[in-house]
Amino acid sequence: MGKAAREQLSRTLNEHLNTTHETFQLLDQTPASSLDKVSWNEVIKIGEQVSKQATLVGMLWTGETPEVKALEENMATYFNTLQGFLLLAHGSSVGAGPTLLSSIHASVKQVVDCSFMLLKESVSAYGSRSKDQKLSIPQLVGTVWDACSALKKTPATNITAIGRAMTQVAVSMKDVLREMEELKPASSDPVDEALDETSIQPEGEPHESDDSCGGDLGNDLSPEEIKIAQVAINVVSGTVAVIKELIRSITGLLKQENSDNSSDFVNSLEGLLKLCQGIGQQIDELGACLYPPQEVPAMKAASEKMSSILDEMQVELENHKGSSEAFLKACTDLRNWLRQLESELVCSSATDLVPQMEKLLLSS
């Protein structure tokens, strides 16, 4: 009888899973802009209902094995709540761009996946003599709670989602900056070795030593390469400053998004994010080129691309009338550092030509 009951529960569960999976696929479709947008707060509220349903699943297994009817009724209520959750989540994506859609999709998927695991384990535990299996149910209830609680941290607007994505770009740039600051000059005497204990820092910032970080990767830098590294560090610091001011500027457009949720407005914001990510890729390239032997042509190309992206970024933001004095100043500072970097790279190229010319003269 236990086997038959479990098979019955499995069939019921699979029917619910299939129906819910079909509803979940709605999130892969962009809802019509004519539909009324659902507030993300409504999604959070029904997420709390999902969390309560997960608690009820756990309560069924606190004592003796529950009856089949109780499990079936519990599943039906849980999946009905989950269906409503998915429909509201789909409604909240009206007017959402790719970045916000991705955030919504990830958060909703986490709730659905955790719910599926909990209910599958609940059915699997029926008739089982394994204590471990029954003990796993409270743990899975906890994962549903966490997933539903995380809905409160999910961005509710395009600007918030894009701002967070830009922040991630800035965080990656800071990682590159830390690696660049560990680059050290080659040394052959005690005085230079003492200098090795201090990492290169951006101008105007205090020097910090970190004995836990290995600086061996960059200990072959020549004096000329050190100059380039120093300016490159300031370029990265300047770029981080630009991204920070860009985030502040687009945050100021939040009222504009609420009044103008048009696709053109959202596409423009997405374009700013792509420019931000593009400049982040050039920072990665610049950081990789600083290790000896330094790749001067690649650094020149990265610098030129950064200048071009910076121009596009400024024009795009000015179209929204969102440029602030702080953002414009950060852009000006970065352009100055880029020009200085290009100047150092030109000098480095000229220095490299001297021994080549001497070889040619000697061979002729």
Side-chain angles (χ1 to χ4, degrees):
M1 183 175 180
K3 182 179 179 181
R6 184 186 292 185
E7 289 177 350
Q8 177 183 335
L9 285 171
S10 295
R11 285 194 297 271
T12 303
L13 175 64
N14 287 332
E15 289 174 2
H16 286 305
L17 291 175
N18 290 336
T19 302
T20 305
H21 182 69
E22 289 176 3
T23 306
F24 179 74
Q25 289 178 327
L26 279 174
L27 292 175
D28 294 328
Q29 304 172 17
T30 304
S33 57
S34 58
L35 294 176
D36 291 334
K37 182 178 176 63
V38 174
S39 167
W40 186 251
N41 285 331
E42 294 300 314
V43 180
I44 293 174
K45 287 179 182 178
I46 197 169
E48 292 171 353
Q49 295 301 315
V50 174
S51 185
K52 288 179 182 179
Q53 290 303 318
T55 302
L56 293 176
V57 173
M59 291 175 63
L60 285 175
W61 290 96
T62 54
E64 298 296 325
T65 301
E67 296 180 358
V68 173
K69 184 178 180 181
L71 287 172
E72 286 185 328
E73 289 176 351
N74 177 266
M75 272 196 288
T77 304
Y78 196 122
F79 278 107
N80 282 338
T81 306
L82 205 57
Q83 289 277 9
F85 168 72
L86 290 173
L87 291 172
L88 286 179
H90 179 61
S92 73
S93 64
V94 173
T99 304
L100 179 56
L101 278 174
S102 177
S103 297
I104 292 173
H105 192 280
S107 296
V108 172
K109 186 176 187 300
Q110 188 65 20
V111 173
V112 172
D113 287 348
C114 291
S115 296
F116 280 9
M117 285 191 290
L118 171 61
L119 293 167
K120 285 178 180 179
E121 189 70 5
S122 178
V123 169
S124 178
Y126 184 84
S128 173
R129 296 180 180 178
S130 172
K131 291 183 179 180
D132 291 340
Q133 195 166 27
K134 292 180 181 179
L135 289 174
S136 68
I137 291 178
Q139 295 175 351
L140 292 173
V141 170
T143 62
V144 175
W145 289 347
D146 291 341
C148 292
S149 180
L151 294 171
K152 298 175 183 176
K153 299 178 181 179
T154 303
T157 66
N158 287 290
I159 286 178
T160 304
I162 289 170
R164 289 186 186 180
M166 288 180 177
T167 300
Q168 288 302 311
V169 175
V171 169
S172 297
M173 288 181 185
K174 286 185 176 181
D175 290 339
V176 174
L177 184 60
R178 278 192 290 270
E179 292 178 7
M180 292 168 71
E181 289 170 353
E182 292 171 10
L183 292 169
K184 299 178 182 180
S187 59
S188 57
D189 60 58
V191 176
D192 287 338
E193 287 173 2
L195 290 173
D196 278 350
E197 295 178 1
T198 305
S199 301
I200 303 172
Q201 300 288 338
E203 289 185 8
E205 293 188 10
H207 285 75
E208 296 178 0
S209 61
D210 187 356
D211 295 335
S212 64
C213 297
D216 294 340
L217 282 174
N219 63 4
D220 291 329
L221 290 182
S222 67
E224 291 77 16
E225 289 173 329
I226 284 295
K227 289 181 181 179
I228 292 174
Q230 178 67 69
V231 181
I233 285 172
N234 285 292
V235 165
V236 179
S237 296
T239 307
V240 172
V242 167
I243 301 304
K244 284 182 178 179
E245 293 305 328
L246 176 62
I247 293 170
R248 289 193 181 100
S249 295
I250 68 165
T251 302
L253 299 175
L254 196 55
K255 291 182 180 179
Q256 187 174 334
E257 178 179 2
N258 293 334
S259 61
D260 178 17
N261 204 25
S262 66
S263 58
D264 289 342
F265 178 82
V266 176
N267 289 339
S268 179
L269 292 175
E270 292 288 348
L272 276 170
L273 174 59
K274 287 182 180 178
L275 291 172
C276 184
Q277 292 168 335
I279 210 167
Q281 292 172 356
Q282 299 311 312
I283 290 295
D284 290 340
E285 179 70 15
L286 188 60
C289 292
L290 284 180
Y291 292 99
Q294 289 182 344
E295 302 175 40
V296 172
M299 283 191 277
K300 285 182 179 179
S303 178
E304 290 171 0
K305 288 179 183 177
M306 287 178 66
S307 295
S308 176
I309 292 173
L310 190 61
D311 290 341
E312 292 182 57
M313 191 181 290
Q314 192 168 341
V315 169
E316 193 67 48
L317 190 57
E318 284 175 352
N319 287 337
H320 291 293
K321 298 180 180 178
S323 293
S324 64
E325 289 185 9
F327 173 74
L328 295 175
K329 182 181 182 304
C331 289
T332 300
D333 291 343
L334 178 54
R335 286 192 179 92
N336 290 337
W337 286 122
L338 287 170
R339 280 194 289 268
Q340 188 171 338
L341 176 61
E342 290 170 7
S343 177
E344 290 292 343
L345 293 173
V346 169
C347 291
S348 175
S349 299
T351 303
D352 291 340
L353 284 174
V354 173
Q356 295 178 24
M357 293 296 293
E358 289 176 347
K359 288 181 181 178
L360 287 172
L361 290 171
L362 289 173
S363 62
S364 57

